[in-house]
Amino acid sequence: MRVLLIEDDERLADALTTALVERGHPVERVSRADEGLRRKDRADFVLLDLGLPDMDGLEMLRRLRRVSAVPVIVLTARGDERTVLQGLSQGADDYLTKPFRIKELLARMDAVRRRAGQTRPPGREPQPPPRPQEVDAGDVHIDLASRTVTVAGSEVALTAREFDVLALLARTPGVVRSRQEIMDAVWGDAFLAVSRSLDVHVWGIRTKTGRPDLIRTLRGVGYRLGG
């Protein structure tokens, strides 16, 4: 189980990393929320401190839950009931108040994994929801596996980030994605990107494909794949 540890206390991070690696769990350590958001897709489990230098951990958790269902245990010195309830309501699977014992954390991680496993039939491994590998929008063909786009049979060269934006919309045709959701997923953090970055990339996709309706804008809501 690959663990993403988001913790800015070096001594605690060292101790947790050692304990988890001894249990056979590879650990990737970061000390900032923006780094954690960028690395979310490489983790099977997230341990999240709330007292981060660049963003409150509850805000990071809220953004993470928009784009990922990865199990999360919150680790924090805040033990008041209001903060605990906020963490759980934002999508944390469990909550541990510092100081805590490593054995208790490991036990709670096991419990979270068991609870997740109770939702599937016995003896069957969880299967990820099927995702389309090729999507057509009018005469635009999007191959998600090879990261290529053709228009009327001719390939169009998009930048890597332009393709990432288009691919996010293509994976769920008809679903409207908010600006912040797209920027969280593609840039890792909406605040890292210049405010007009998304608009520029959407303009680039429309211009290069010659299909202005390929990405539809719903004012005040977000974007969806058109055709």
Side-chain angles (χ1 to χ4, degrees), residues 74-96:
V74 165
L75 311 175
T76 182
R78 306 179 205 171
D80 60 285
E81 183 179 7
R82 180 171 179 272
T83 304
V84 173
L85 291 175
Q86 281 183 317
L88 296 174
S89 66
Q90 294 286 7
D93 296 277
D94 207 342
Y95 197 109
L96 264 178

PDB file of all heavy atoms in Angstrom, residues 74-96:
ATOM      1  N   VAL A  74      -6.707  11.844   9.088  1.00  0.00           N
ATOM      2  CA  VAL A  74      -6.204  13.156   9.486  1.00  0.00           C
ATOM      3  C   VAL A  74      -5.381  13.009  10.760  1.00  0.00           C
ATOM      4  O   VAL A  74      -5.798  12.341  11.714  1.00  0.00           O
ATOM      5  CB  VAL A  74      -7.372  14.135   9.704  1.00  0.00           C
ATOM      6  CG1 VAL A  74      -6.912  15.373  10.462  1.00  0.00           C
ATOM      7  CG2 VAL A  74      -7.992  14.530   8.364  1.00  0.00           C
ATOM      8  N   LEU A  75      -4.207  13.638  10.772  1.00  0.00           N
ATOM      9  CA  LEU A  75      -3.327  13.659  11.939  1.00  0.00           C
ATOM     10  C   LEU A  75      -3.153  15.110  12.356  1.00  0.00           C
ATOM     11  O   LEU A  75      -2.687  15.924  11.556  1.00  0.00           O
ATOM     12  CB  LEU A  75      -1.955  13.062  11.600  1.00  0.00           C
ATOM     13  CG  LEU A  75      -1.930  11.722  10.873  1.00  0.00           C
ATOM     14  CD1 LEU A  75      -0.499  11.359  10.517  1.00  0.00           C
ATOM     15  CD2 LEU A  75      -2.554  10.632  11.750  1.00  0.00           C
ATOM     16  N   THR A  76      -3.511  15.460  13.597  1.00  0.00           N
ATOM     17  CA  THR A  76      -3.443  16.866  13.979  1.00  0.00           C
ATOM     18  C   THR A  76      -3.388  17.041  15.486  1.00  0.00           C
ATOM     19  O   THR A  76      -3.770  16.146  16.246  1.00  0.00           O
ATOM     20  CB  THR A  76      -4.667  17.630  13.435  1.00  0.00           C
ATOM     21  OG1 THR A  76      -4.570  19.009  13.772  1.00  0.00           O
ATOM     22  CG2 THR A  76      -5.946  17.055  14.014  1.00  0.00           C
ATOM     23  N   ALA A  77      -2.891  18.203  15.891  1.00  0.00           N
ATOM     24  CA  ALA A  77      -2.886  18.568  17.304  1.00  0.00           C
ATOM     25  C   ALA A  77      -4.215  19.186  17.723  1.00  0.00           C
ATOM     26  O   ALA A  77      -4.460  19.393  18.908  1.00  0.00           O
ATOM     27  CB  ALA A  77      -1.744  19.548  17.578  1.00  0.00           C
ATOM     28  N   ARG A  78      -5.080  19.475  16.745  1.00  0.00           N
ATOM     29  CA  ARG A  78      -6.386  20.073  17.066  1.00  0.00           C
ATOM     30  C   ARG A  78      -7.341  18.977  17.508  1.00  0.00           C
ATOM     31  O   ARG A  78      -7.757  18.150  16.697  1.00  0.00           O
ATOM     32  CB  ARG A  78      -6.964  20.771  15.849  1.00  0.00           C
ATOM     33  CG  ARG A  78      -6.053  21.803  15.217  1.00  0.00           C
ATOM     34  CD  ARG A  78      -6.750  22.393  14.001  1.00  0.00           C
ATOM     35  NE  ARG A  78      -5.807  22.914  13.024  1.00  0.00           N
ATOM     36  CZ  ARG A  78      -6.141  23.322  11.815  1.00  0.00           C
ATOM     37  NH1 ARG A  78      -7.415  23.254  11.424  1.00  0.00           N
ATOM     38  NH2 ARG A  78      -5.223  23.783  10.984  1.00  0.00           N
ATOM     39  N   GLY A  79      -7.698  19.004  18.759  1.00  0.00           N
ATOM     40  CA  GLY A  79      -8.555  17.945  19.266  1.00  0.00           C
ATOM     41  C   GLY A  79      -9.968  18.381  19.592  1.00  0.00           C
ATOM     42  O   GLY A  79     -10.756  17.588  20.123  1.00  0.00           O
ATOM     43  N   ASP A  80     -10.310  19.651  19.290  1.00  0.00           N
ATOM     44  CA  ASP A  80     -11.653  20.128  19.630  1.00  0.00           C
ATOM     45  C   ASP A  80     -12.695  19.447  18.751  1.00  0.00           C
ATOM     46  O   ASP A  80     -12.439  19.079  17.604  1.00  0.00           O
ATOM     47  CB  ASP A  80     -11.737  21.643  19.459  1.00  0.00           C
ATOM     48  CG  ASP A  80     -11.435  22.095  18.039  1.00  0.00           C
ATOM     49  OD1 ASP A  80     -10.248  22.082  17.662  1.00  0.00           O
ATOM     50  OD2 ASP A  80     -12.380  22.428  17.316  1.00  0.00           O
ATOM     51  N   GLU A  81     -13.861  19.280  19.311  1.00  0.00           N
ATOM     52  CA  GLU A  81     -14.932  18.536  18.632  1.00  0.00           C
ATOM     53  C   GLU A  81     -15.315  19.169  17.300  1.00  0.00           C
ATOM     54  O   GLU A  81     -15.562  18.462  16.318  1.00  0.00           O
ATOM     55  CB  GLU A  81     -16.166  18.464  19.534  1.00  0.00           C
ATOM     56  CG  GLU A  81     -17.311  17.649  18.940  1.00  0.00           C
ATOM     57  CD  GLU A  81     -18.517  17.579  19.858  1.00  0.00           C
ATOM     58  OE1 GLU A  81     -18.506  18.268  20.894  1.00  0.00           O
ATOM     59  OE2 GLU A  81     -19.471  16.850  19.535  1.00  0.00           O
ATOM     60  N   ARG A  82     -15.299  20.492  17.235  1.00  0.00           N
ATOM     61  CA  ARG A  82     -15.700  21.168  15.999  1.00  0.00           C
ATOM     62  C   ARG A  82     -14.761  20.803  14.856  1.00  0.00           C
ATOM     63  O   ARG A  82     -15.207  20.503  13.737  1.00  0.00           O
ATOM     64  CB  ARG A  82     -15.700  22.680  16.224  1.00  0.00           C
ATOM     65  CG  ARG A  82     -16.117  23.488  14.992  1.00  0.00           C
ATOM     66  CD  ARG A  82     -16.290  24.959  15.375  1.00  0.00           C
ATOM     67  NE  ARG A  82     -16.668  25.750  14.219  1.00  0.00           N
ATOM     68  CZ  ARG A  82     -15.807  26.320  13.379  1.00  0.00           C
ATOM     69  NH1 ARG A  82     -14.505  26.149  13.569  1.00  0.00           N
ATOM     70  NH2 ARG A  82     -16.227  27.030  12.361  1.00  0.00           N
ATOM     71  N   THR A  83     -13.454  20.806  15.138  1.00  0.00           N
ATOM     72  CA  THR A  83     -12.490  20.483  14.081  1.00  0.00           C
ATOM     73  C   THR A  83     -12.599  19.027  13.669  1.00  0.00           C
ATOM     74  O   THR A  83     -12.494  18.691  12.487  1.00  0.00           O
ATOM     75  CB  THR A  83     -11.059  20.788  14.548  1.00  0.00           C
ATOM     76  OG1 THR A  83     -10.982  22.158  14.950  1.00  0.00           O
ATOM     77  CG2 THR A  83     -10.052  20.552  13.426  1.00  0.00           C
ATOM     78  N   VAL A  84     -12.806  18.143  14.653  1.00  0.00           N
ATOM     79  CA  VAL A  84     -12.970  16.721  14.340  1.00  0.00           C
ATOM     80  C   VAL A  84     -14.162  16.518  13.409  1.00  0.00           C
ATOM     81  O   VAL A  84     -14.069  15.817  12.392  1.00  0.00           O
ATOM     82  CB  VAL A  84     -13.149  15.892  15.623  1.00  0.00           C
ATOM     83  CG1 VAL A  84     -13.493  14.450  15.281  1.00  0.00           C
ATOM     84  CG2 VAL A  84     -11.889  15.947  16.477  1.00  0.00           C
ATOM     85  N   LEU A  85     -15.284  17.151  13.749  1.00  0.00           N
ATOM     86  CA  LEU A  85     -16.479  17.006  12.921  1.00  0.00           C
ATOM     87  C   LEU A  85     -16.268  17.601  11.532  1.00  0.00           C
ATOM     88  O   LEU A  85     -16.736  17.056  10.533  1.00  0.00           O
ATOM     89  CB  LEU A  85     -17.675  17.674  13.604  1.00  0.00           C
ATOM     90  CG  LEU A  85     -18.178  16.989  14.880  1.00  0.00           C
ATOM     91  CD1 LEU A  85     -19.282  17.813  15.530  1.00  0.00           C
ATOM     92  CD2 LEU A  85     -18.681  15.587  14.573  1.00  0.00           C
ATOM     93  N   GLN A  86     -15.543  18.715  11.470  1.00  0.00           N
ATOM     94  CA  GLN A  86     -15.253  19.311  10.157  1.00  0.00           C
ATOM     95  C   GLN A  86     -14.428  18.352   9.305  1.00  0.00           C
ATOM     96  O   GLN A  86     -14.700  18.166   8.122  1.00  0.00           O
ATOM     97  CB  GLN A  86     -14.487  20.627  10.337  1.00  0.00           C
ATOM     98  CG  GLN A  86     -15.358  21.797  10.716  1.00  0.00           C
ATOM     99  CD  GLN A  86     -14.541  23.081  10.801  1.00  0.00           C
ATOM    100  OE1 GLN A  86     -13.439  23.093  11.338  1.00  0.00           O
ATOM    101  NE2 GLN A  86     -15.070  24.162  10.271  1.00  0.00           N
ATOM    102  N   GLY A  87     -13.414  17.747   9.921  1.00  0.00           N
ATOM    103  CA  GLY A  87     -12.571  16.817   9.179  1.00  0.00           C
ATOM    104  C   GLY A  87     -13.354  15.641   8.640  1.00  0.00           C
ATOM    105  O   GLY A  87     -13.217  15.256   7.479  1.00  0.00           O
ATOM    106  N   LEU A  88     -14.204  15.080   9.476  1.00  0.00           N
ATOM    107  CA  LEU A  88     -14.992  13.926   9.041  1.00  0.00           C
ATOM    108  C   LEU A  88     -16.023  14.326   7.990  1.00  0.00           C
ATOM    109  O   LEU A  88     -16.264  13.585   7.033  1.00  0.00           O
ATOM    110  CB  LEU A  88     -15.672  13.280  10.248  1.00  0.00           C
ATOM    111  CG  LEU A  88     -14.718  12.675  11.288  1.00  0.00           C
ATOM    112  CD1 LEU A  88     -15.496  12.189  12.507  1.00  0.00           C
ATOM    113  CD2 LEU A  88     -13.913  11.527  10.689  1.00  0.00           C
ATOM    114  N   SER A  89     -16.616  15.501   8.149  1.00  0.00           N
ATOM    115  CA  SER A  89     -17.626  15.936   7.178  1.00  0.00           C
ATOM    116  C   SER A  89     -16.995  16.294   5.833  1.00  0.00           C
ATOM    117  O   SER A  89     -17.649  16.206   4.791  1.00  0.00           O
ATOM    118  CB  SER A  89     -18.407  17.141   7.719  1.00  0.00           C
ATOM    119  OG  SER A  89     -17.570  18.273   7.846  1.00  0.00           O
ATOM    120  N   GLN A  90     -15.709  16.683   5.829  1.00  0.00           N
ATOM    121  CA  GLN A  90     -15.029  16.991   4.577  1.00  0.00           C
ATOM    122  C   GLN A  90     -14.560  15.738   3.854  1.00  0.00           C
ATOM    123  O   GLN A  90     -14.073  15.819   2.732  1.00  0.00           O
ATOM    124  CB  GLN A  90     -13.812  17.902   4.836  1.00  0.00           C
ATOM    125  CG  GLN A  90     -14.153  19.284   5.348  1.00  0.00           C
ATOM    126  CD  GLN A  90     -14.738  20.183   4.270  1.00  0.00           C
ATOM    127  OE1 GLN A  90     -15.006  19.741   3.159  1.00  0.00           O
ATOM    128  NE2 GLN A  90     -14.952  21.439   4.589  1.00  0.00           N
ATOM    129  N   GLY A  91     -14.685  14.569   4.512  1.00  0.00           N
ATOM    130  CA  GLY A  91     -14.365  13.333   3.805  1.00  0.00           C
ATOM    131  C   GLY A  91     -13.261  12.501   4.401  1.00  0.00           C
ATOM    132  O   GLY A  91     -12.860  11.490   3.801  1.00  0.00           O
ATOM    133  N   ALA A  92     -12.729  12.880   5.587  1.00  0.00           N
ATOM    134  CA  ALA A  92     -11.715  12.044   6.229  1.00  0.00           C
ATOM    135  C   ALA A  92     -12.335  10.717   6.658  1.00  0.00           C
ATOM    136  O   ALA A  92     -13.482  10.671   7.098  1.00  0.00           O
ATOM    137  CB  ALA A  92     -11.123  12.758   7.441  1.00  0.00           C
ATOM    138  N   ASP A  93     -11.579   9.636   6.524  1.00  0.00           N
ATOM    139  CA  ASP A  93     -12.066   8.323   6.945  1.00  0.00           C
ATOM    140  C   ASP A  93     -11.853   8.086   8.434  1.00  0.00           C
ATOM    141  O   ASP A  93     -12.542   7.272   9.038  1.00  0.00           O
ATOM    142  CB  ASP A  93     -11.359   7.224   6.141  1.00  0.00           C
ATOM    143  CG  ASP A  93     -11.701   7.302   4.663  1.00  0.00           C
ATOM    144  OD1 ASP A  93     -12.766   6.776   4.290  1.00  0.00           O
ATOM    145  OD2 ASP A  93     -10.939   7.901   3.899  1.00  0.00           O
ATOM    146  N   ASP A  94     -10.896   8.788   9.019  1.00  0.00           N
ATOM    147  CA  ASP A  94     -10.630   8.681  10.450  1.00  0.00           C
ATOM    148  C   ASP A  94      -9.808   9.887  10.871  1.00  0.00           C
ATOM    149  O   ASP A  94      -9.326  10.660  10.031  1.00  0.00           O
ATOM    150  CB  ASP A  94      -9.901   7.383  10.786  1.00  0.00           C
ATOM    151  CG  ASP A  94     -10.174   6.910  12.219  1.00  0.00           C
ATOM    152  OD1 ASP A  94     -10.634   7.741  13.036  1.00  0.00           O
ATOM    153  OD2 ASP A  94      -9.926   5.736  12.519  1.00  0.00           O
ATOM    154  N   TYR A  95      -9.631  10.040  12.205  1.00  0.00           N
ATOM    155  CA  TYR A  95      -9.035  11.240  12.767  1.00  0.00           C
ATOM    156  C   TYR A  95      -8.229  10.845  13.979  1.00  0.00           C
ATOM    157  O   TYR A  95      -8.736  10.177  14.882  1.00  0.00           O
ATOM    158  CB  TYR A  95     -10.179  12.183  13.163  1.00  0.00           C
ATOM    159  CG  TYR A  95      -9.822  13.614  13.404  1.00  0.00           C
ATOM    160  CD1 TYR A  95     -10.212  14.596  12.509  1.00  0.00           C
ATOM    161  CD2 TYR A  95      -9.121  14.008  14.538  1.00  0.00           C
ATOM    162  CE1 TYR A  95      -9.924  15.927  12.720  1.00  0.00           C
ATOM    163  CE2 TYR A  95      -8.814  15.334  14.763  1.00  0.00           C
ATOM    164  CZ  TYR A  95      -9.217  16.295  13.849  1.00  0.00           C
ATOM    165  OH  TYR A  95      -8.920  17.611  14.061  1.00  0.00           O
ATOM    166  N   LEU A  96      -6.950  11.240  14.029  1.00  0.00           N
ATOM    167  CA  LEU A  96      -6.089  10.956  15.178  1.00  0.00           C
ATOM    168  C   LEU A  96      -5.509  12.252  15.709  1.00  0.00           C
ATOM    169  O   LEU A  96      -4.976  13.063  14.940  1.00  0.00           O
ATOM    170  CB  LEU A  96      -4.945  10.021  14.779  1.00  0.00           C
ATOM    171  CG  LEU A  96      -5.140   8.521  15.040  1.00  0.00           C
ATOM    172  CD1 LEU A  96      -3.927   7.754  14.541  1.00  0.00           C
ATOM    173  CD2 LEU A  96      -5.375   8.242  16.507  1.00  0.00           C
TER     174      LEU A  96
END
